[in-house]
Amino acid sequence: MTLTDIKFSEFLKDFEKTLKYLFHEKEDINKLSLERGLPPELLNDILAERPLSVAIPEQYGGRGSKVKECLGILAAASYESLPLSLTFGINIALFLEPVSKYADESVKQGIFSRFLENQNMGGLMITEPDYGSDALNMKTMHQEVEKGYRIKGTKHWQGLTGLADYWIIAARKTLDNGELGRDIDFFISDNTVKEQKVVVEELYDNAGLYMIPYGLNKLDLEVPANFRLTPETTGIKMMLDILHRSRMQFPGMGMGFIRRMLDEAIEHCTNRMVGNGNLMAIDQVQYSISRMQSAYTICSAMCAKSSEISGIAHNLATEGMEANTMKAVVTDLMQECSQLLVQLSGANGYRISHIGGRGIMDSRPFQIFEGSNEMLYAQIAEMITRTMKKQKQLHLFDFLKALALTSEACLYFKDDLSFTISQVLSQRKLVDLGKILARIICISYVLDLGKKGFRNDLVQNCIDTVRHEVAALMCSFKFDNTVQVVEGYTDQSSWLKFA
């Protein structure tokens, strides 16, 4: 029997049972989460279920690289442990899918076999100590040698540092004049081969995601010629395709996490008695939990949309608007839901051994890595305003009504959106506008999900919640705020002199 002979519903159910047993019966995930890393035998037990097979093509023994299945596995993992889900997300979106799409045929079978049979893992190296989001200026270099390519440089903050068996490494070509080429190339390295081994110089003391090692990596490698990834056009477009696909898988990691925060909040507020009733009878509690249900609805709609548009058959290099929207909004919602759960849980929530307290720290970096959310929101606004200027349509509502992605959703926000963007916007205004546009795009996903039969009461509540949020964001956008940093602020500002 092959893996594809097993229905995904059964495969997923078995995986969920395994996680429940390992994290709640064999071990205690709340205690495990106090320590760094995961016991190797426990990780092997998890990987023995072959969850990463969902990202491996059928012809190599996998389940077929279906986005729906990838997101389903990520959601199942994040319900129990967000760091575990991110471990899978790194493997799926940043290694297995790029290998499936861009690697030489001669290397695929060997790599995929080791993932299926030997519980191997892989990651992606782009970020450098001096170059975070400014990836195009990275200094890691490569040059051709007799047997392949020599790669030298320094990378850091790679998830699975010291733990991954394979890496995809981004580097720039060394030109004849000693400068580095503008394009970016990607290479696979096999950490079990001496010449390709990445040297870990330091492990970082990351504040959350204890299960995942991060650190500083020194590269001085030589990889075979067939370990270079082959782009469809340019390396930069290949990088955008990889990163946009990864951003479109964030809803899978968010799905289980948000659902867990919501389930924990409902259970606590139903059972916690205050006076003659439970917490659920309090109006502010209803408001808080309704916001979490709205997050659940938006994330569900994102997963459905991502399943349609983000498979490896598609090139996502130009799909920045939807990729940025999914990543930024879902990670904001993850952080908000964990904050709400802790607030509802009282003092007990403020512990690393509590799923909520741990959730605050574990979900926080999601708003930062793979593009900080402020940067992504600004990019969304820039994409829209640039197109508006090209079309000479400066009225925001009229433009969004004519745009297929927002034509139906924008109708719910007509009063807020009926204005003209005539002047150049400051960066802080672009961020505000990007947040508004991203949430309208999310409502379009929710409306699509509603048409497929998703609960109407959840859809309507979500629309009302987002309308409230957009109204608040519009106040921020329209407020004339040009406040600048005060230099030498300590002069004449010690309160002790005035008390």
Side-chain angles (χ1 to χ4, degrees), residues 268-476:
H268 174 74
C269 293
T270 302
N271 295 328
R272 180 74 165 181
M273 303 305 293
V274 180
N276 295 325
N278 61 11
L279 283 177
M280 198 66 88
I282 298 172
D283 182 58
Q284 180 62 26
V285 171
Q286 285 280 319
Y287 172 68
S288 295
I289 294 181
S290 71
R291 287 194 65 80
M292 296 171 85
Q293 286 189 332
S294 173
Y296 169 83
T297 303
I298 289 170
C299 193
S300 299
M302 284 185 183
C303 286
K305 182 68 173 181
S306 180
S307 296
E308 290 174 16
I309 66 173
S310 71
I312 57 174
H314 304 279
N315 190 306
L316 305 178
T318 59
E319 302 303 322
M321 188 148 63
E322 292 195 72
N324 287 6
T325 292
M326 288 191 191
K327 188 273 181 186
V329 174
V330 79
T331 55
D332 280 354
L333 294 175
M334 289 163 70
Q335 176 69 190
E336 183 188 10
C337 286
S338 58
Q339 294 280 1
L340 286 169
L341 174 59
V342 168
Q343 192 71 14
L344 292 167
S345 301
N348 283 332
Y350 195 63
R351 300 165 67 165
I352 301 175
S353 58
H354 186 280
I355 188 75
R358 191 163 69 245
I360 288 176
M361 295 308 294
D362 284 347
S363 64
R364 184 66 180 93
F366 280 71
Q367 295 174 295
I368 301 167
F369 57 53
E370 281 205 38
S372 74
N373 285 4
E374 289 82 3
M375 182 181 80
L376 301 184
Y377 284 131
Q379 287 175 355
I380 291 167
E382 284 168 347
M383 289 178 224
I384 290 288
T385 53
R386 197 182 305 126
T387 308
M388 289 174 73
K389 285 171 187 170
K390 275 185 187 172
Q391 296 182 7
K392 297 183 178 176
Q393 170 57 278
L394 300 179
H395 191 273
L396 186 59
F397 176 77
D398 290 346
F399 175 82
L400 295 176
K401 193 179 176 192
L403 190 68
L405 185 58
T406 54
S407 59
E408 189 178 356
C410 73
L411 301 176
Y412 292 92
F413 306 90
K414 184 175 181 180
D415 291 345
D416 289 314
L417 300 174
S418 293
F419 65 94
T420 299
I421 299 176
S422 52
Q423 79 279 21
V424 176
L425 297 175
S426 66
Q427 193 175 43
R428 65 186 75 181
K429 294 301 178 189
L430 285 171
V431 173
D432 283 340
L433 181 59
K435 287 179 179 179
I436 292 163
L437 294 167
R439 279 148 184 81
I440 293 166
I441 291 168
C442 287
I443 289 301
S444 73
Y445 299 156
V446 170
L447 292 171
D448 287 345
L449 191 64
K451 290 171 189 171
K452 293 175 180 176
F454 194 81
R455 281 188 66 148
N456 186 58
D457 49 2
L458 286 176
V459 169
Q460 292 306 315
N461 284 357
C462 179
I463 291 170
D464 288 344
T465 299
V466 175
R467 285 182 65 197
H468 181 194
E469 192 175 359
V470 166
L473 286 166
M474 281 305 308
C475 289
S476 175

Side-chain angles (χ1 to χ4, degrees), residues 40-309:
E41 64 276 9
L42 190 65
L43 183 58
N44 285 337
D45 286 344
I46 294 168
L47 293 176
E49 293 293 307
R50 296 192 279 189
L52 299 178
S53 65
V54 294
I56 294 174
E58 277 188 59
Q59 63 266 40
Y60 301 103
R63 289 192 56 86
S65 298
K66 298 182 182 76
V67 177
K68 176 182 173 180
E69 295 195 4
C70 293
L71 299 186
I73 286 293
L74 293 176
S78 65
Y79 190 85
E80 299 294 348
S81 164
L82 186 56
L84 178 65
S85 186
L86 179 56
T87 296
F88 291 161
I90 292 166
N91 275 280
I92 291 170
L94 301 181
F95 186 80
L96 289 170
E97 288 179 337
V99 167
S100 296
K101 185 165 185 176
Y102 295 111
D104 192 274
E105 284 299 325
S106 63
V107 305
K108 290 183 182 180
Q109 186 65 66
I111 292 171
F112 293 142
S113 293
R114 278 173 53 182
F115 269 75
L116 290 169
E117 295 161 19
N118 303 331
Q119 287 89 49
N120 273 201
M121 294 197 293
L124 174 66
M125 291 189 167
I126 294 179
T127 307
E128 299 181 3
D130 295 325
Y131 301 93
S133 298
D134 185 21
L136 298 183
N137 284 311
M138 69 175 67
K139 298 303 178 205
T140 301
M141 61 185 73
H142 74 83
Q143 60 186 118
E144 283 192 60
V145 291
E146 187 183 346
K147 295 181 180 177
Y149 297 92
R150 181 83 181 271
I151 303 167
K152 295 185 78 171
T154 305
K155 302 286 189 183
H156 78 158
W157 280 116
Q158 281 74 45
L160 308 180
T161 292
L163 192 60
D165 304 277
Y166 285 103
W167 290 101
I168 291 176
I169 299 168
R172 294 163 67 196
K173 184 178 181 179
T174 306
L175 302 177
D176 292 340
N177 61 4
E179 297 290 315
L180 297 180
R182 289 189 63 218
D183 204 13
I184 293 173
D185 297 298
F186 289 86
F187 303 86
I188 301 167
S189 76
D190 180 351
N191 225 38
T192 64
V193 177
K194 185 181 176 184
E195 293 78 16
Q196 300 177 40
K197 191 170 178 62
V198 172
V199 176
V200 179
E201 292 205 324
E202 179 187 354
L203 285 175
Y204 291 158
D205 56 342
N206 35 296
L209 301 170
Y210 277 14
M211 194 183 289
I212 303 176
Y214 289 89
L216 182 69
N217 298 290
K218 198 78 175 172
L219 310 178
D220 189 354
L221 322 171
E222 194 172 307
V223 302
N226 62 346
F227 272 40
R228 180 176 178 170
L229 300 188
T230 307
E232 292 173 343
T233 51
T234 66
I236 290 173
K237 286 188 177 176
M238 175 166 61
M239 179 171 72
L240 288 173
D241 178 50
I242 291 169
L243 293 179
H244 289 167
R245 183 168 295 99
S246 175
R247 287 172 190 167
M248 289 188 183
Q249 294 199 8
F250 273 60
M253 293 182 280
M255 190 70 251
F257 180 79
I258 288 170
R259 188 179 159 208
R260 179 66 181 277
M261 298 298 111
L262 177 57
D263 287 352
E264 293 282 343
I266 289 173
E267 182 183 10
H268 174 74
C269 293
T270 302
N271 295 328
R272 180 74 165 181
M273 303 305 293
V274 180
N276 295 325
N278 61 11
L279 283 177
M280 198 66 88
I282 298 172
D283 182 58
Q284 180 62 26
V285 171
Q286 285 280 319
Y287 172 68
S288 295
I289 294 181
S290 71
R291 287 194 65 80
M292 296 171 85
Q293 286 189 332
S294 173
Y296 169 83
T297 303
I298 289 170
C299 193
S300 299
M302 284 185 183
C303 286
K305 182 68 173 181
S306 180
S307 296
E308 290 174 16
I309 66 173

